[in-house]
């Protein structure tokens, strides 16, 4: 899959560091594990939806051995016109329960470079999920930076609602925050960066201050990032409403991404509607026109 993963751009520059095993996901993962046992840090690039075919080697040949293989999961999230076979909607669910692995999701192309650098420094297995489609178009740093493992990025502070937008879904989180601010509510916006490990310090900090959480993810809700948030709240002993925005427990059909998101409620407006009942007890701030 050199074209689909864009490794056709890497291959001419590093022909001795590029290996194409064909459409053989299990072999690719075991091959990467073998390289890792010999001191290499292999990067295994496979579509999210097809990496699930190699679940057993991920568990037994990589994670159980604590080998430093980096999984780059292309097409994570809805793949649109490629249809149900290509939607990468299950990778969080099948990876976050495996011990030893670190799972990341960048909000944009600059953070993806940071995560690539970070993954190559992790002494064990790691995975980075990123979607199909055009990039956000943000400015790139001259050099990527190492990220502290398991630490989220607080983009905006707030006292009424905490909104977590995983990966590129951060834009939807910011859209919801603006809507809430216009209605007089104070909204925090958090870029989780890490699905595993979660930043429990950030979770607890906001859980003790706000009336509700909202989680956005381009993944099925069952076993996904929002589920991990519920588990984290249970772990720290706090009961808090969590509005989870993600895909339902069904296979999603072929279609345009924006149209499918609207049809299945993956929008800031849908989140706002679900959130409002949890904000009924909050006294909204009075806005003064300037």
């Amino acid at each position: 899959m050199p074209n689909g993963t864009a490794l056709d751009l890497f291959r001419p520059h590093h022909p001795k560091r590029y290996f194409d095993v064909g459409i053989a996901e299990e072999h690719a993962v075991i091959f990467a594990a073998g390289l890792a046992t010999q001191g290499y840090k292999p990067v295994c690039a496979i579509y999210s939806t097809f990496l699930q075919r190699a679940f057993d080697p991920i568990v037994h040949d990589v994670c159980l051995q604590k080998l430093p293989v980096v999984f780059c999961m292309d097409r994570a999230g809805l793949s649109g016109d490629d249809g149900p076979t290509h939607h990468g909607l299950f990778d969080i669910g099948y990876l976050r329960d495996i011990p030893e692995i670190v799972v990341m999701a960048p909000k944009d192309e600059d953070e993806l470079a940071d995560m690539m650098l970070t993954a190559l420094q992790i002494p064990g297995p790691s995975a980075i999920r990123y979607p199909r489609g055009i990039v956000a178009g943000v400015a790139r740093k001259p050099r990527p930076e190492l990220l502290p493992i398991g630490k989220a990025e607080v983009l905006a502070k707030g006292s009424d609602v905490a909104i977590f937008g995983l990966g590129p879904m951060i834009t939807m989180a910011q859209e919801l925050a603006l809507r809430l601010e216009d209605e007089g509510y104070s909204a925090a916006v958090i870029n989780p960066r890490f699905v595993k490990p979660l930043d429990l310090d950030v979770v607890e900090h906001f859980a003790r201050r706000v009336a509700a959480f909202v989680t956005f993810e381009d993944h099925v809700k069952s076993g996904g990032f929002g589920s991990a948030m519920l588990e984290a709240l249970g772990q720290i002993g706090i009961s808090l409403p969590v509005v989870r925005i993600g895909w339902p427990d069904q296979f999603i059909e072929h279609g345009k991404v924006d149209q499918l998101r609207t049809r299945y409620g993956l929008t800031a407006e849908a989140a706002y509607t679900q959130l409002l009942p949890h904000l009924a007890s909050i006294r909204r701030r009075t806005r003064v026109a300037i």
Side-chain angles (χ1 to χ4, degrees):
M1 302 289 287
N3 295 334
T5 58
L7 287 176
D8 56 331
L9 304 176
F10 175 89
R11 178 174 51 188
H13 301 283
H14 307 282
K16 294 183 178 180
R17 297 169 62 188
Y18 169 86
F19 300 92
D20 186 349
V21 302
I23 305 176
E25 292 84 2
E26 292 175 271
H27 172 57
V29 173
I30 295 172
F31 180 28
L35 290 172
T37 66
Q38 301 304 305
Y40 295 97
K41 290 197 173 181
V43 175
C44 192
I46 301 177
Y47 287 9
S48 163
T49 188
F50 298 130
L51 186 62
Q52 64 205 29
R53 294 176 172 177
F55 179 75
D56 181 77
I58 293 170
V59 174
H60 288 146
D61 298 283
V62 176
C63 294
L64 183 63
Q65 315 301 330
K66 303 180 183 180
L67 295 174
V69 176
V70 180
F71 295 105
C72 287
M73 299 185 295
D74 199 345
R75 265 69 166 183
L78 201 71
S79 191
D81 290 345
D82 286 337
T85 58
H86 282 59
H87 295 327
L89 301 180
F90 311 111
D91 56 82
I92 294 174
Y94 69 72
L95 286 179
R96 75 177 183 89
D97 61 336
I98 306 175
E100 303 297 335
I101 196 167
V102 173
V103 183
M104 299 172 269
K107 69 179 187 294
D108 53 41
E109 63 270 34
D110 185 57
E111 193 165 74
L112 173 59
D114 293 341
M115 288 184 178
M116 282 295 299
L117 176 64
T118 302
L120 291 170
Q121 304 303 314
I122 294 173
S126 60
I128 308 173
R129 70 184 316 262
Y130 50 90
R132 176 190 183 189
I134 59 174
V135 296
V138 301
R140 294 281 303 279
K141 297 185 292 292
R143 292 182 179 276
E145 297 178 356
L146 285 172
L147 300 176
I149 303 300
K151 294 300 178 183
E153 178 187 30
V154 178
L155 298 177
K157 296 180 179 180
S159 57
D160 295 333
V161 183
I163 310 169
F164 296 78
L166 183 67
M169 298 293 276
I170 193 66
T171 57
M172 207 173 288
Q174 292 169 324
E175 183 182 343
L176 174 61
L178 288 174
R179 172 70 187 276
L180 289 168
E181 292 287 342
D182 287 342
E183 296 293 331
Y185 297 105
S186 173
V189 179
I190 300 100
N191 167 27
R193 286 178 167 166
F194 294 86
V195 176
K196 183 177 183 176
L198 276 179
D199 191 335
L200 293 181
D201 290 338
V202 164
V203 172
E204 183 172 4
H205 172 83
F206 286 104
R208 296 191 182 283
R209 288 163 173 79
V210 303
F213 278 1
V214 181
T215 61
F216 286 95
E217 59 187 305
D218 197 1
H219 186 276
V220 292
K221 287 187 285 186
S222 301
F225 174 72
S227 294
M229 186 65 69
L230 288 170
E231 292 170 14
L233 289 171
Q235 181 178 338
I236 59 181
I238 296 178
S239 178
L240 189 75
V242 179
V243 174
R244 294 182 296 150
I245 302 299
W247 297 99
D249 184 19
Q250 66 187 81
F251 290 107
I252 306 301
E253 67 270 25
H254 168 105
K256 299 296 183 184
V257 172
D258 289 344
Q259 293 174 355
L260 290 171
R261 284 181 176 176
T262 300
R263 183 180 306 168
Y264 288 98
L266 274 79
T267 65
E269 186 62 30
Y272 178 78
T273 301
Q274 294 182 50
L275 179 63
L276 273 184
H278 301 298
L279 302 183
S281 62
I282 294 177
R283 183 176 180 180
R284 292 184 291 177
R285 294 168 296 150
T286 302
R287 288 195 168 272
V288 179
I290 298 178

